[in-house]
PDB file of all heavy atoms in Angstrom:
ATOM      1  N   ARG A 297       7.164  31.797 -14.771  1.00 91.00           N
ATOM      2  CA  ARG A 297       7.778  30.488 -14.513  1.00 91.00           C
ATOM      3  C   ARG A 297       8.199  30.358 -13.056  1.00 91.00           C
ATOM      4  O   ARG A 297       8.027  29.300 -12.438  1.00 91.00           O
ATOM      5  CB  ARG A 297       8.987  30.306 -15.437  1.00 91.00           C
ATOM      6  CG  ARG A 297       9.501  28.882 -15.478  1.00 91.00           C
ATOM      7  CD  ARG A 297      10.623  28.736 -16.478  1.00 91.00           C
ATOM      8  NE  ARG A 297      10.997  27.346 -16.624  1.00 91.00           N
ATOM      9  CZ  ARG A 297      12.054  26.940 -17.321  1.00 91.00           C
ATOM     10  NH1 ARG A 297      12.815  27.828 -17.976  1.00 91.00           N
ATOM     11  NH2 ARG A 297      12.345  25.654 -17.411  1.00 91.00           N
ATOM     12  N   LEU A 298       8.728  31.455 -12.501  1.00 91.00           N
ATOM     13  CA  LEU A 298       9.115  31.444 -11.086  1.00 91.00           C
ATOM     14  C   LEU A 298       7.898  31.239 -10.190  1.00 91.00           C
ATOM     15  O   LEU A 298       7.925  30.442  -9.250  1.00 91.00           O
ATOM     16  CB  LEU A 298       9.819  32.758 -10.739  1.00 91.00           C
ATOM     17  CG  LEU A 298      10.271  32.923  -9.283  1.00 91.00           C
ATOM     18  CD1 LEU A 298      11.309  31.871  -8.924  1.00 91.00           C
ATOM     19  CD2 LEU A 298      10.827  34.320  -9.050  1.00 91.00           C
ATOM     20  N   PHE A 299       6.812  31.947 -10.477  1.00 92.00           N
ATOM     21  CA  PHE A 299       5.597  31.803  -9.685  1.00 92.00           C
ATOM     22  C   PHE A 299       4.998  30.398  -9.833  1.00 92.00           C
ATOM     23  O   PHE A 299       4.447  29.845  -8.874  1.00 92.00           O
ATOM     24  CB  PHE A 299       4.565  32.854 -10.102  1.00 92.00           C
ATOM     25  CG  PHE A 299       4.881  34.234  -9.608  1.00 92.00           C
ATOM     26  CD1 PHE A 299       4.640  35.344 -10.413  1.00 92.00           C
ATOM     27  CD2 PHE A 299       5.411  34.436  -8.352  1.00 92.00           C
ATOM     28  CE1 PHE A 299       4.925  36.627  -9.963  1.00 92.00           C
ATOM     29  CE2 PHE A 299       5.700  35.708  -7.886  1.00 92.00           C
ATOM     30  CZ  PHE A 299       5.468  36.808  -8.700  1.00 92.00           C
ATOM     31  N   SER A 300       5.075  29.836 -11.029  1.00 93.00           N
ATOM     32  CA  SER A 300       4.546  28.481 -11.219  1.00 93.00           C
ATOM     33  C   SER A 300       5.337  27.466 -10.403  1.00 93.00           C
ATOM     34  O   SER A 300       4.759  26.549  -9.802  1.00 93.00           O
ATOM     35  CB  SER A 300       4.575  28.107 -12.700  1.00 93.00           C
ATOM     36  OG  SER A 300       5.903  27.931 -13.166  1.00 93.00           O
ATOM     37  N   HIS A 301       6.653  27.633 -10.343  1.00 93.00           N
ATOM     38  CA  HIS A 301       7.468  26.736  -9.514  1.00 93.00           C
ATOM     39  C   HIS A 301       7.087  26.873  -8.036  1.00 93.00           C
ATOM     40  O   HIS A 301       6.972  25.869  -7.321  1.00 93.00           O
ATOM     41  CB  HIS A 301       8.951  27.069  -9.693  1.00 93.00           C
ATOM     42  CG  HIS A 301       9.470  26.707 -11.049  1.00 93.00           C
ATOM     43  ND1 HIS A 301      10.751  27.028 -11.465  1.00 93.00           N
ATOM     44  CD2 HIS A 301       8.899  26.051 -12.085  1.00 93.00           C
ATOM     45  CE1 HIS A 301      10.936  26.593 -12.701  1.00 93.00           C
ATOM     46  NE2 HIS A 301       9.824  25.998 -13.096  1.00 93.00           N
ATOM     47  N   ALA A 302       6.880  28.120  -7.597  1.00 93.00           N
ATOM     48  CA  ALA A 302       6.504  28.345  -6.195  1.00 93.00           C
ATOM     49  C   ALA A 302       5.150  27.712  -5.887  1.00 93.00           C
ATOM     50  O   ALA A 302       4.963  27.074  -4.834  1.00 93.00           O
ATOM     51  CB  ALA A 302       6.463  29.842  -5.907  1.00 93.00           C
ATOM     52  N   ALA A 303       4.190  27.853  -6.810  1.00 94.00           N
ATOM     53  CA  ALA A 303       2.855  27.290  -6.585  1.00 94.00           C
ATOM     54  C   ALA A 303       2.889  25.766  -6.566  1.00 94.00           C
ATOM     55  O   ALA A 303       2.209  25.131  -5.749  1.00 94.00           O
ATOM     56  CB  ALA A 303       1.899  27.788  -7.668  1.00 94.00           C
ATOM     57  N   ILE A 304       3.667  25.171  -7.447  1.00 94.00           N
ATOM     58  CA  ILE A 304       3.752  23.708  -7.504  1.00 94.00           C
ATOM     59  C   ILE A 304       4.391  23.160  -6.236  1.00 94.00           C
ATOM     60  O   ILE A 304       3.918  22.172  -5.650  1.00 94.00           O
ATOM     61  CB  ILE A 304       4.524  23.277  -8.762  1.00 94.00           C
ATOM     62  CG1 ILE A 304       3.669  23.539 -10.008  1.00 94.00           C
ATOM     63  CG2 ILE A 304       4.910  21.806  -8.690  1.00 94.00           C
ATOM     64  CD1 ILE A 304       4.422  23.429 -11.305  1.00 94.00           C
ATOM     65  N   LEU A 305       5.465  23.804  -5.788  1.00 94.00           N
ATOM     66  CA  LEU A 305       6.116  23.353  -4.551  1.00 94.00           C
ATOM     67  C   LEU A 305       5.191  23.517  -3.352  1.00 94.00           C
ATOM     68  O   LEU A 305       5.110  22.642  -2.486  1.00 94.00           O
ATOM     69  CB  LEU A 305       7.416  24.125  -4.340  1.00 94.00           C
ATOM     70  CG  LEU A 305       8.565  23.791  -5.296  1.00 94.00           C
ATOM     71  CD1 LEU A 305       9.748  24.717  -5.060  1.00 94.00           C
ATOM     72  CD2 LEU A 305       8.990  22.338  -5.119  1.00 94.00           C
ATOM     73  N   GLN A 306       4.504  24.650  -3.277  1.00 93.00           N
ATOM     74  CA  GLN A 306       3.594  24.855  -2.165  1.00 93.00           C
ATOM     75  C   GLN A 306       2.460  23.840  -2.201  1.00 93.00           C
ATOM     76  O   GLN A 306       2.057  23.301  -1.161  1.00 93.00           O
ATOM     77  CB  GLN A 306       3.011  26.260  -2.185  1.00 93.00           C
ATOM     78  CG  GLN A 306       2.031  26.487  -1.024  1.00 93.00           C
ATOM     79  CD  GLN A 306       1.526  27.900  -0.959  1.00 93.00           C
ATOM     80  OE1 GLN A 306       1.987  28.758  -1.701  1.00 93.00           O
ATOM     81  NE2 GLN A 306       0.573  28.157  -0.070  1.00 93.00           N
ATOM     82  N   GLY A 307       1.931  23.575  -3.386  1.00 94.00           N
ATOM     83  CA  GLY A 307       0.852  22.594  -3.490  1.00 94.00           C
ATOM     84  C   GLY A 307       1.274  21.210  -3.047  1.00 94.00           C
ATOM     85  O   GLY A 307       0.543  20.527  -2.322  1.00 94.00           O
ATOM     86  N   PHE A 308       2.475  20.799  -3.444  1.00 95.00           N
ATOM     87  CA  PHE A 308       2.953  19.457  -3.094  1.00 95.00           C
ATOM     88  C   PHE A 308       3.143  19.317  -1.584  1.00 95.00           C
ATOM     89  O   PHE A 308       2.617  18.382  -0.955  1.00 95.00           O
ATOM     90  CB  PHE A 308       4.260  19.158  -3.817  1.00 95.00           C
ATOM     91  CG  PHE A 308       4.850  17.817  -3.495  1.00 95.00           C
ATOM     92  CD1 PHE A 308       4.320  16.673  -4.039  1.00 95.00           C
ATOM     93  CD2 PHE A 308       5.917  17.711  -2.629  1.00 95.00           C
ATOM     94  CE1 PHE A 308       4.854  15.422  -3.728  1.00 95.00           C
ATOM     95  CE2 PHE A 308       6.463  16.472  -2.310  1.00 95.00           C
ATOM     96  CZ  PHE A 308       5.928  15.328  -2.868  1.00 95.00           C
ATOM     97  N   PHE A 309       3.878  20.252  -0.975  1.00 95.00           N
ATOM     98  CA  PHE A 309       4.176  20.123   0.453  1.00 95.00           C
ATOM     99  C   PHE A 309       2.972  20.477   1.329  1.00 95.00           C
ATOM    100  O   PHE A 309       2.826  19.928   2.425  1.00 95.00           O
ATOM    101  CB  PHE A 309       5.384  20.991   0.810  1.00 95.00           C
ATOM    102  CG  PHE A 309       6.675  20.465   0.257  1.00 95.00           C
ATOM    103  CD1 PHE A 309       7.293  21.083  -0.810  1.00 95.00           C
ATOM    104  CD2 PHE A 309       7.259  19.334   0.786  1.00 95.00           C
ATOM    105  CE1 PHE A 309       8.479  20.598  -1.336  1.00 95.00           C
ATOM    106  CE2 PHE A 309       8.451  18.828   0.274  1.00 95.00           C
ATOM    107  CZ  PHE A 309       9.057  19.464  -0.798  1.00 95.00           C
ATOM    108  N   SER A 310       2.097  21.360   0.855  1.00 94.00           N
ATOM    109  CA  SER A 310       0.870  21.637   1.599  1.00 94.00           C
ATOM    110  C   SER A 310      -0.019  20.400   1.647  1.00 94.00           C
ATOM    111  O   SER A 310      -0.692  20.138   2.655  1.00 94.00           O
ATOM    112  CB  SER A 310       0.113  22.798   0.961  1.00 94.00           C
ATOM    113  OG  SER A 310       0.844  23.998   1.053  1.00 94.00           O
ATOM    114  N   GLY A 311      -0.031  19.619   0.574  1.00 94.00           N
ATOM    115  CA  GLY A 311      -0.799  18.378   0.565  1.00 94.00           C
ATOM    116  C   GLY A 311      -0.287  17.381   1.593  1.00 94.00           C
ATOM    117  O   GLY A 311      -1.072  16.730   2.286  1.00 94.00           O
ATOM    118  N   LEU A 312       1.035  17.274   1.709  1.00 94.00           N
ATOM    119  CA  LEU A 312       1.604  16.378   2.715  1.00 94.00           C
ATOM    120  C   LEU A 312       1.235  16.820   4.128  1.00 94.00           C
ATOM    121  O   LEU A 312       0.920  15.999   4.996  1.00 94.00           O
ATOM    122  CB  LEU A 312       3.128  16.320   2.564  1.00 94.00           C
ATOM    123  CG  LEU A 312       3.660  15.797   1.224  1.00 94.00           C
ATOM    124  CD1 LEU A 312       5.185  15.746   1.251  1.00 94.00           C
ATOM    125  CD2 LEU A 312       3.100  14.426   0.893  1.00 94.00           C
ATOM    126  N   VAL A 313       1.269  18.145   4.359  1.00 93.00           N
ATOM    127  CA  VAL A 313       0.889  18.674   5.675  1.00 93.00           C
ATOM    128  C   VAL A 313      -0.588  18.387   5.955  1.00 93.00           C
ATOM    129  O   VAL A 313      -0.965  18.003   7.072  1.00 93.00           O
ATOM    130  CB  VAL A 313       1.171  20.187   5.740  1.00 93.00           C
ATOM    131  CG1 VAL A 313       0.585  20.790   7.023  1.00 93.00           C
ATOM    132  CG2 VAL A 313       2.667  20.451   5.688  1.00 93.00           C
ATOM    133  N   ALA A 314      -1.438  18.547   4.935  1.00 93.00           N
ATOM    134  CA  ALA A 314      -2.866  18.269   5.106  1.00 93.00           C
ATOM    135  C   ALA A 314      -3.107  16.802   5.452  1.00 93.00           C
ATOM    136  O   ALA A 314      -3.954  16.484   6.297  1.00 93.00           O
ATOM    137  CB  ALA A 314      -3.621  18.649   3.839  1.00 93.00           C
ATOM    138  N   GLY A 315      -2.371  15.900   4.831  1.00 92.00           N
ATOM    139  CA  GLY A 315      -2.519  14.484   5.145  1.00 92.00           C
ATOM    140  C   GLY A 315      -2.083  14.151   6.557  1.00 92.00           C
ATOM    141  O   GLY A 315      -2.739  13.374   7.260  1.00 92.00           O
ATOM    142  N   GLN A 316      -0.974  14.749   7.001  1.00 91.00           N
ATOM    143  CA  GLN A 316      -0.490  14.509   8.360  1.00 91.00           C
ATOM    144  C   GLN A 316      -1.461  15.063   9.393  1.00 91.00           C
ATOM    145  O   GLN A 316      -1.721  14.435  10.422  1.00 91.00           O
ATOM    146  CB  GLN A 316       0.893  15.147   8.530  1.00 91.00           C
ATOM    147  CG  GLN A 316       1.519  14.928   9.893  1.00 91.00           C
ATOM    148  CD  GLN A 316       1.808  13.470  10.181  1.00 91.00           C
ATOM    149  OE1 GLN A 316       2.230  12.731   9.301  1.00 91.00           O
ATOM    150  NE2 GLN A 316       1.582  13.046  11.413  1.00 91.00           N
TER     151      GLN A 316
END
Side-chain angles (χ1 to χ4, degrees):
R297 193 176 187 188
L298 179 63
F299 285 142
S300 69
H301 290 174
I304 289 168
L305 289 175
Q306 179 175 353
F308 178 76
F309 289 107
S310 295
L312 299 182
V313 171
Q316 182 64 39

